[in-house]
Amino acid sequence: MNETFNMALTKKQMDDVMETIELYDTFDSIVGLFVAKGIKETAERDKIPFEREVLEYQLIVNIYY
């Protein structure tokens, strides 16, 4: 942090930064999951061809990330 941002953080502050990053990743995964689920349901409903394996992979990745 000191080299990149020219600032020093305590261990507690670094832990807070890491927690924020983890929460953001969790939020990102949840959004990705709902996007993939919405695409899948719309494609199935409207009979739009799609690669099921690719979409299922995206669902799995976002669930377990």
Side-chain angles (χ1 to χ4, degrees), residues 2-60:
N2 195 18
E3 291 175 14
T4 304
F5 297 108
N6 197 26
M7 63 188 298
L9 297 177
T10 66
K11 179 169 178 1
K12 167 75 170 99
Q13 290 167 326
M14 285 299 296
D15 289 344
D16 291 346
V17 169
M18 292 306 296
E19 183 179 337
T20 301
I21 291 169
E22 290 169 0
L23 290 174
Y24 177 77
D25 285 344
T26 301
F27 174 77
D28 205 25
S29 291
I30 291 169
V31 170
L33 173 64
F34 284 110
V35 168
K37 187 164 176 46
I39 290 170
K40 180 181 179 208
E41 288 179 2
T42 300
E44 288 174 341
R45 180 194 68 211
D46 295 345
K47 309 280 191 266
I48 300 169
F50 65 97
E51 293 184 41
R52 183 168 300 279
E53 295 81 23
V54 173
L55 201 49
E56 294 292 332
Y57 174 76
Q58 288 302 316
L59 289 169
I60 289 168

